[in-house]
Amino acid sequence: MLSLFSFFKLTAQIDQDSSNSYKKRVLESTEIDFLSSYYTQDGDNAAVSGGTGTEELTDATATFVVSIPLNADDVLTIDAGVSAYTSASSSNINPFDDGTANPFQASSGASSGDVWSNLTASYSHNSDDRNDIWSAKLSVSTEYDYFSIGFGGSYTKLFNEKNTELSISANVYLDTWNAIYPIELRPFGENGNGINNSLFTQNTITGNQNYNPLFAKFKDETRNSYSIGFGLSQILHKNVQGSLSVDIVKQDGLLSTPFQRVYFSDVADSFIEDFQLADAIEQLPSSRFKVAIGGRLNWYLNESFTIRTFYRYYFDDWGINSHTASLEVPFKLSDKFTLYPSYRFYNQTAADYFYPYETALSSYDFYTSDFDLSKYSSNQFGFGISYNDIFTKAHIWKFGLKSIDLKYYKYDRNTTFGSSIVTAGFKFVMN
């Protein structure tokens, strides 16, 4: 690793173009970002248990981003991250493996936690006049029931003395599920023994004892996502910058989550202990088309205050329409410290296929009790502080500490759902 960094440092010396004139480097030296976060949530509408039950979850992440200047024009960036979570909700994929089964308490089985891993490599090239930027990326991520590979690229054009910027980007993600179903439905799949399974013979079914769910395994466990984005940024005044963006996404394949239960209003309830047995799993269309249109306006008031505003309108062919508006007012305390108070409002209509607990009919083609697809509104308040030192006086080995960012966000929906997240970021520069 030391020899690798020595090579990149050697190639990072002052470059000259074909006319032997000085050319400013896109990135002067290798930078390393360490990002981490701790997230918690809770609520009473877990999709795993059909729109009722605990949504308690905790998640901790750690990410390293290494940006390496290959020469004056090109930068290679490696992004590697892991996310480890424990979830009372997903633990109830099998609620019968520990203690008394209840949708409002966690099971300690294998589905109570997992680790998500991601590796992304991206390459960018800038033209000699810095008015044209090309980039390409490749990513791989994996989880216990999911694998994804993605690739994409972008092109950015600056003109009008760099006061105007146009960009286009495109990405493709090819995903594969390793479908995991609610434990009580598995015996009713192909080659299963149904009600004669030991889960039912060794436990007492109460309520409707003639338990006979509507269940078949998904035949296609792939999902492909294709996106294209357009952006326009314009300096409107020496103190004002605005931007517009349009993002279009097309998804095909398995868009249902295999372990999310649904309970029908026209089927009698069956229980083992205090847990209601699923009538079916979530069924959603195999295609989805999404469009998001957004705009930003940033206003530099003076040396201390800046106002950043954002608005986005979203719609898709599942019936969801949403509005997002946010405001951030960075306040510069000194040349090194800045405060970041922020607020974000969001609301959306319900998907055509959303039905709360025990409201869908078994005759419907599509249904879900996932409250992420319900009608709701939310508020998020945030506060952050950043430290910047362009002279990187503090050092760890050969790297100088350039910046520290700490932020906290509190999020609440007009349902029972709420969450909090703390993030921290550290940027180091090779000297």
Side-chain angles (χ1 to χ4, degrees):
M1 180 62 74
L2 182 61
S3 61
L4 178 64
F5 277 117
S6 298
F7 167 75
F8 285 127
K9 188 172 183 180
L10 178 63
T11 62
Q13 303 303 315
I14 295 176
D15 283 32
Q16 293 180 331
D17 62 19
S18 58
S19 62
N20 293 322
S21 62
Y22 174 76
K23 180 166 55 175
K24 182 176 175 60
R25 302 174 65 83
V26 175
L27 184 65
E28 292 297 331
S29 59
T30 298
E31 295 184 351
I32 297 179
D33 289 273
F34 173 68
L35 312 172
S36 64
S37 68
Y38 182 74
Y39 171 86
T40 63
Q41 69 171 52
D42 204 356
D44 298 326
N45 301 115
V48 174
S49 45
T52 184
T54 179
E55 297 177 82
E56 184 180 359
L57 179 146
T58 62
D59 179 85
T61 67
T63 302
F64 281 96
V65 182
V66 182
S67 300
I68 305 168
L70 303 179
N71 50 52
D73 304 324
D74 303 322
V75 177
L76 174 67
T77 301
I78 306 296
D79 182 333
V82 294
S83 173
Y85 74 84
T86 58
S87 170
S89 174
S90 67
S91 73
N92 283 325
I93 294 173
N94 181 5
F96 309 112
D97 58 2
D98 178 61
T100 300
N102 186 303
F104 289 96
Q105 70 182 36
S107 169
S108 61
S111 57
S112 62
D114 191 30
V115 175
W116 171 88
S117 303
N118 172 264
L119 180 64
T120 301
S122 60
Y123 168 84
S124 66
H125 171 76
N126 288 251
S127 62
D128 285 340
D129 60 8
R130 304 298 185 246
N131 287 330
D132 298 273
I133 306 169
W134 295 266
S135 71
K137 72 174 183 178
L138 176 67
S139 66
V140 176
S141 59
T142 182
E143 201 172 348
Y144 78 105
D145 62 342
Y146 206 77
F147 177 80
S148 175
I149 183 168
F151 53 91
S154 67
Y155 171 68
T156 300
K157 177 69 175 180
L158 289 83
F159 54 96
N160 189 22
E161 296 183 344
K162 292 184 169 51
N163 289 319
T164 305
E165 178 180 307
L166 286 173
S167 64
I168 182 172
S169 63
N171 293 283
V172 176
Y173 292 94
L174 308 176
D175 308 332
T176 303
W177 288 89
N178 178 20
I180 296 176
Y181 301 98
I183 189 67
E184 70 272 27
L185 296 180
R186 298 173 198 175
F188 294 90
E190 186 178 356
N191 300 323
N193 56 352
I195 199 67
N196 296 316
N197 184 267
S198 60
L199 174 65
F200 308 113
T201 59
Q202 296 177 11
N203 293 279
T204 300
I205 298 178
T206 59
N208 176 22
Q209 298 182 359
N210 297 316
Y211 180 58
N212 187 27
L214 183 63
F215 176 69
K217 293 182 178 180
F218 291 110
K219 295 181 180 179
D220 182 5
E221 295 188 352
T222 63
R223 175 172 68 186
N224 300 333
S225 301
Y226 313 93
S227 68
I228 186 168
F230 304 92
L232 168 63
S233 177
Q234 177 66 49
I235 295 177
L236 304 171
H237 180 271
K238 66 178 182 178
N239 293 339
V240 181
Q241 181 188 40
S243 65
L244 297 172
S245 64
V246 177
D247 294 287
I248 301 171
V249 178
K250 180 68 167 65
Q251 293 181 296
D252 295 299
L254 180 52
L255 305 184
S256 306
T257 303
F259 52 75
Q260 294 189 168
R261 294 175 174 88
V262 172
Y263 300 112
F264 298 128
S265 62
D266 58 343
V267 174
D269 300 342
S270 300
F271 295 84
I272 290 180
E273 298 175 352
D274 294 329
F275 198 92
Q276 186 174 349
L277 304 180
D279 294 332
I281 55 172
E282 175 182 273
Q283 297 286 338
L284 292 168
S286 60
S287 66
R288 190 176 186 183
F289 183 74
K290 310 176 185 181
V291 178
I293 303 170
R296 296 181 182 274
L297 189 65
N298 299 334
W299 185 11
Y300 175 82
L301 295 178
N302 51 48
E303 292 184 356
S304 298
F305 284 98
T306 302
I307 295 178
R308 299 173 180 171
T309 63
F310 172 74
Y311 171 78
R312 182 185 66 196
Y313 173 68
Y314 165 91
F315 64 92
D316 62 31
D317 59 355
W318 285 9
I320 293 180
N321 293 267
S322 73
H323 301 270
T324 305
S326 67
L327 173 67
E328 184 179 62
V329 186
F331 173 52
K332 194 170 184 178
L333 296 175
S334 67
D335 60 342
K336 292 185 178 180
F337 290 95
T338 304
L339 301 180
Y340 291 89
S342 64
Y343 170 72
R344 177 182 179 272
F345 173 79
Y346 175 84
N347 76 342
Q348 73 172 38
T349 60
D352 296 336
Y353 318 111
F354 172 76
Y355 300 95
Y357 169 73
E358 288 200 333
T359 59
L361 296 176
S362 59
S363 59
Y364 292 166
D365 292 328
F366 302 114
Y367 36 77
T368 178
S369 294
D370 185 347
F371 270 69
D372 287 345
L373 299 177
S374 70
K375 177 183 179 181
Y376 70 86
S377 61
S378 67
N379 296 279
Q380 177 178 279
F381 295 90
F383 184 80
I385 184 170
S386 71
Y387 165 85
N388 288 277
D389 179 12
I390 61 174
F391 299 108
T392 61
K393 294 180 180 179
H395 285 77
I396 297 179
W397 192 47
K398 295 183 179 181
F399 291 88
L401 178 61
K402 185 175 181 179
S403 66
I404 301 174
D405 289 284
L406 302 173
K407 291 184 179 180
Y408 170 79
Y409 298 98
K410 182 70 175 69
Y411 173 89
D412 288 294
R413 292 182 185 175
N414 62 344
T415 62
T416 61
F417 183 88
S419 68
S420 298
I421 185 170
V422 177
T423 66
F426 303 85
K427 181 183 288 291
F428 297 91
V429 180
M430 177 176 280
N431 292 323

CSV table of all heavy atoms in Angstrom, one decimal, residues 166-195:
chain,number,residue,atom,x,y,z
A,166,LEU,N,-24.3,22.4,-17.8
A,166,LEU,CA,-25.3,21.4,-18.2
A,166,LEU,C,-24.7,20.0,-17.9
A,166,LEU,O,-23.5,19.8,-18.2
A,166,LEU,CB,-25.6,21.6,-19.7
A,166,LEU,CG,-26.4,22.7,-20.1
A,166,LEU,CD1,-26.5,22.8,-21.6
A,166,LEU,CD2,-27.9,22.6,-19.6
A,167,SER,N,-25.5,19.1,-17.5
A,167,SER,CA,-25.0,17.8,-17.2
A,167,SER,C,-26.1,16.7,-17.6
A,167,SER,O,-27.3,17.0,-17.6
A,167,SER,CB,-24.7,17.6,-15.7
A,167,SER,OG,-25.8,17.8,-14.9
A,168,ILE,N,-25.6,15.5,-17.9
A,168,ILE,CA,-26.4,14.4,-18.2
A,168,ILE,C,-25.8,13.2,-17.5
A,168,ILE,O,-24.5,13.1,-17.6
A,168,ILE,CB,-26.7,14.2,-19.7
A,168,ILE,CG1,-27.6,13.0,-19.9
A,168,ILE,CG2,-25.4,14.0,-20.4
A,168,ILE,CD1,-28.1,12.8,-21.3
A,169,SER,N,-26.6,12.3,-16.9
A,169,SER,CA,-26.0,11.1,-16.3
A,169,SER,C,-26.9,9.9,-16.6
A,169,SER,O,-28.1,10.1,-16.8
A,169,SER,CB,-25.9,11.3,-14.8
A,169,SER,OG,-27.1,11.5,-14.2
A,170,ALA,N,-26.4,8.7,-16.6
A,170,ALA,CA,-27.2,7.5,-16.8
A,170,ALA,C,-26.6,6.4,-15.9
A,170,ALA,O,-25.4,6.3,-15.8
A,170,ALA,CB,-27.2,7.1,-18.2
A,171,ASN,N,-27.5,5.6,-15.3
A,171,ASN,CA,-27.1,4.5,-14.5
A,171,ASN,C,-27.9,3.3,-14.7
A,171,ASN,O,-29.1,3.4,-15.0
A,171,ASN,CB,-27.1,4.9,-13.0
A,171,ASN,CG,-26.1,6.0,-12.6
A,171,ASN,OD1,-25.0,5.7,-12.5
A,171,ASN,ND2,-26.6,7.2,-12.5
A,172,VAL,N,-27.3,2.1,-14.5
A,172,VAL,CA,-28.0,0.8,-14.6
A,172,VAL,C,-27.7,0.0,-13.4
A,172,VAL,O,-26.5,-0.1,-13.0
A,172,VAL,CB,-27.7,0.1,-15.9
A,172,VAL,CG1,-28.3,-1.3,-15.9
A,172,VAL,CG2,-28.0,0.9,-17.1
A,173,TYR,N,-28.7,-0.6,-12.7
A,173,TYR,CA,-28.5,-1.5,-11.6
A,173,TYR,C,-29.2,-2.8,-11.9
A,173,TYR,O,-30.4,-2.8,-12.2
A,173,TYR,CB,-29.0,-0.8,-10.3
A,173,TYR,CG,-28.2,0.4,-9.9
A,173,TYR,CD1,-28.6,1.7,-10.2
A,173,TYR,CD2,-27.1,0.2,-9.1
A,173,TYR,CE1,-27.9,2.8,-9.8
A,173,TYR,CE2,-26.3,1.3,-8.7
A,173,TYR,CZ,-26.7,2.6,-9.1
A,173,TYR,OH,-26.0,3.7,-8.7
A,174,LEU,N,-28.4,-3.9,-11.8
A,174,LEU,CA,-28.9,-5.2,-12.0
A,174,LEU,C,-28.9,-5.9,-10.7
A,174,LEU,O,-27.8,-6.3,-10.1
A,174,LEU,CB,-28.1,-5.9,-13.1
A,174,LEU,CG,-27.9,-5.2,-14.4
A,174,LEU,CD1,-26.9,-5.9,-15.3
A,174,LEU,CD2,-29.2,-4.9,-15.1
A,175,ASP,N,-30.1,-6.2,-10.1
A,175,ASP,CA,-30.2,-6.7,-8.8
A,175,ASP,C,-30.8,-8.2,-8.8
A,175,ASP,O,-31.6,-8.5,-9.7
A,175,ASP,CB,-31.1,-5.9,-7.9
A,175,ASP,CG,-30.7,-4.4,-8.0
A,175,ASP,OD1,-29.5,-4.1,-8.2
A,175,ASP,OD2,-31.6,-3.5,-7.8
A,176,THR,N,-30.4,-8.9,-7.8
A,176,THR,CA,-30.9,-10.3,-7.7
A,176,THR,C,-31.3,-10.5,-6.2
A,176,THR,O,-30.5,-10.3,-5.3
A,176,THR,CB,-29.9,-11.4,-8.1
A,176,THR,OG1,-29.5,-11.1,-9.5
A,176,THR,CG2,-30.5,-12.7,-8.1
A,177,TRP,N,-32.6,-11.0,-6.0
A,177,TRP,CA,-33.0,-11.4,-4.7
A,177,TRP,C,-32.6,-12.8,-4.4
A,177,TRP,O,-32.6,-13.6,-5.3
A,177,TRP,CB,-34.5,-11.3,-4.6
A,177,TRP,CG,-35.1,-9.9,-4.6
A,177,TRP,CD1,-35.5,-9.1,-5.6
A,177,TRP,CD2,-35.4,-9.1,-3.4
A,177,TRP,NE1,-36.1,-8.0,-5.2
A,177,TRP,CE2,-36.0,-7.9,-3.8
A,177,TRP,CE3,-35.3,-9.4,-2.0
A,177,TRP,CZ2,-36.4,-6.9,-2.9
A,177,TRP,CZ3,-35.7,-8.4,-1.1
A,177,TRP,CH2,-36.3,-7.2,-1.6
A,178,ASN,N,-32.4,-13.1,-3.2
A,178,ASN,CA,-32.4,-14.5,-2.7
A,178,ASN,C,-33.7,-14.5,-1.8
A,178,ASN,O,-33.5,-14.3,-0.6
A,178,ASN,CB,-31.2,-14.9,-1.9
A,178,ASN,CG,-31.2,-16.2,-1.3
A,178,ASN,OD1,-32.0,-17.1,-1.8
A,178,ASN,ND2,-30.4,-16.5,-0.3
A,179,ALA,N,-34.8,-14.7,-2.4
A,179,ALA,CA,-36.1,-14.5,-1.7
A,179,ALA,C,-36.3,-15.3,-0.4
A,179,ALA,O,-36.1,-16.5,-0.4
A,179,ALA,CB,-37.2,-14.8,-2.7
A,180,ILE,N,-36.6,-14.5,0.6
A,180,ILE,CA,-36.9,-15.1,1.9
A,180,ILE,C,-38.3,-14.8,2.3
A,180,ILE,O,-38.7,-13.6,2.3
A,180,ILE,CB,-35.9,-14.6,3.0
A,180,ILE,CG1,-34.5,-15.0,2.7
A,180,ILE,CG2,-36.3,-15.1,4.4
A,180,ILE,CD1,-33.4,-14.5,3.6
A,181,TYR,N,-39.1,-15.8,2.6
A,181,TYR,CA,-40.5,-15.7,2.8
A,181,TYR,C,-40.9,-15.8,4.3
A,181,TYR,O,-40.1,-16.5,5.0
A,181,TYR,CB,-41.3,-16.7,2.0
A,181,TYR,CG,-41.1,-16.6,0.5
A,181,TYR,CD1,-40.2,-17.4,-0.1
A,181,TYR,CD2,-41.7,-15.6,-0.3
A,181,TYR,CE1,-39.9,-17.3,-1.5
A,181,TYR,CE2,-41.5,-15.5,-1.6
A,181,TYR,CZ,-40.6,-16.4,-2.2
A,181,TYR,OH,-40.4,-16.3,-3.6
A,182,PRO,N,-42.0,-15.3,4.7
A,182,PRO,CA,-42.4,-15.5,6.1
A,182,PRO,C,-42.5,-17.0,6.4
A,182,PRO,O,-42.9,-17.8,5.6
A,182,PRO,CB,-43.8,-14.9,6.1
A,182,PRO,CG,-43.8,-13.9,5.1
A,182,PRO,CD,-42.9,-14.4,4.0
A,183,ILE,N,-42.0,-17.4,7.6
A,183,ILE,CA,-41.8,-18.8,8.0
A,183,ILE,C,-43.1,-19.6,7.8
A,183,ILE,O,-43.0,-20.8,7.4
A,183,ILE,CB,-41.3,-18.9,9.4
A,183,ILE,CG1,-40.8,-20.3,9.8
A,183,ILE,CG2,-42.3,-18.3,10.4
A,183,ILE,CD1,-39.6,-20.7,9.0
A,184,GLU,N,-44.2,-19.1,8.1
A,184,GLU,CA,-45.5,-19.9,8.0
A,184,GLU,C,-46.0,-20.2,6.6
A,184,GLU,O,-46.8,-21.0,6.4
A,184,GLU,CB,-46.6,-19.2,8.9
A,184,GLU,CG,-47.2,-18.0,8.3
A,184,GLU,CD,-46.4,-16.7,8.7
A,184,GLU,OE1,-45.2,-16.8,9.0
A,184,GLU,OE2,-47.1,-15.6,8.7
A,185,LEU,N,-45.4,-19.4,5.6
A,185,LEU,CA,-45.8,-19.6,4.3
A,185,LEU,C,-45.0,-20.6,3.5
A,185,LEU,O,-45.4,-21.2,2.5
A,185,LEU,CB,-45.8,-18.3,3.5
A,185,LEU,CG,-46.8,-17.2,4.0
A,185,LEU,CD1,-46.7,-15.9,3.2
A,185,LEU,CD2,-48.2,-17.7,3.9
A,186,ARG,N,-43.8,-20.8,4.0
A,186,ARG,CA,-42.9,-21.7,3.3
A,186,ARG,C,-43.4,-23.1,3.0
A,186,ARG,O,-43.2,-23.7,2.0
A,186,ARG,CB,-41.5,-21.7,4.0
A,186,ARG,CG,-40.8,-20.4,4.1
A,186,ARG,CD,-39.6,-20.4,4.9
A,186,ARG,NE,-39.2,-19.0,5.3
A,186,ARG,CZ,-38.2,-18.7,6.1
A,186,ARG,NH1,-37.5,-19.7,6.7
A,186,ARG,NH2,-37.9,-17.5,6.4
A,187,PRO,N,-44.1,-23.7,4.0
A,187,PRO,CA,-44.6,-25.1,3.8
A,187,PRO,C,-45.7,-25.1,2.7
A,187,PRO,O,-46.0,-26.2,2.2
A,187,PRO,CB,-45.3,-25.4,5.1
A,187,PRO,CG,-44.6,-24.6,6.1
A,187,PRO,CD,-44.3,-23.3,5.4
A,188,PHE,N,-46.2,-24.0,2.3
A,188,PHE,CA,-47.3,-24.0,1.2
A,188,PHE,C,-46.7,-23.7,-0.2
A,188,PHE,O,-47.4,-23.6,-1.1
A,188,PHE,CB,-48.3,-22.9,1.6
A,188,PHE,CG,-49.1,-23.3,2.8
A,188,PHE,CD1,-48.7,-22.8,4.1
A,188,PHE,CD2,-50.2,-24.1,2.8
A,188,PHE,CE1,-49.4,-23.2,5.2
A,188,PHE,CE2,-50.9,-24.4,3.9
A,188,PHE,CZ,-50.5,-24.0,5.2
A,189,GLY,N,-45.4,-23.6,-0.2
A,189,GLY,CA,-44.8,-23.5,-1.5
A,189,GLY,C,-44.7,-24.8,-2.3
A,189,GLY,O,-45.1,-25.8,-1.8
A,190,GLU,N,-44.1,-24.8,-3.4
A,190,GLU,CA,-44.0,-26.0,-4.2
A,190,GLU,C,-43.2,-27.0,-3.4
A,190,GLU,O,-42.1,-26.8,-2.8
A,190,GLU,CB,-43.2,-25.7,-5.5
A,190,GLU,CG,-43.2,-26.8,-6.5
A,190,GLU,CD,-42.5,-26.5,-7.8
A,190,GLU,OE1,-42.2,-25.3,-8.0
A,190,GLU,OE2,-42.4,-27.3,-8.7
A,191,ASN,N,-43.7,-28.3,-3.4
A,191,ASN,CA,-43.1,-29.4,-2.7
A,191,ASN,C,-43.2,-29.3,-1.2
A,191,ASN,O,-42.5,-30.1,-0.5
A,191,ASN,CB,-41.7,-29.6,-3.2
A,191,ASN,CG,-41.5,-29.9,-4.7
A,191,ASN,OD1,-42.4,-30.6,-5.3
A,191,ASN,ND2,-40.5,-29.4,-5.3
A,192,GLY,N,-43.9,-28.3,-0.7
A,192,GLY,CA,-44.1,-28.2,0.8
A,192,GLY,C,-45.2,-29.2,1.2
A,192,GLY,O,-46.0,-29.6,0.5
A,193,ASN,N,-45.2,-29.4,2.6
A,193,ASN,CA,-46.3,-30.3,3.1
A,193,ASN,C,-47.4,-29.5,3.8
A,193,ASN,O,-48.2,-30.1,4.5
A,193,ASN,CB,-45.6,-31.3,4.1
A,193,ASN,CG,-44.9,-30.6,5.2
A,193,ASN,OD1,-44.7,-29.4,5.2
A,193,ASN,ND2,-44.4,-31.4,6.2
A,194,GLY,N,-47.5,-28.2,3.5
A,194,GLY,CA,-48.7,-27.4,4.0
A,194,GLY,C,-48.9,-27.5,5.5
A,194,GLY,O,-48.0,-27.4,6.3
A,195,ILE,N,-50.2,-27.7,5.8
A,195,ILE,CA,-50.6,-27.7,7.2
A,195,ILE,C,-50.0,-28.8,8.0
A,195,ILE,O,-50.1,-28.8,9.2
A,195,ILE,CB,-52.2,-27.7,7.2
A,195,ILE,CG1,-52.7,-27.2,8.6
A,195,ILE,CG2,-52.7,-29.1,6.9
A,195,ILE,CD1,-52.4,-25.7,8.8
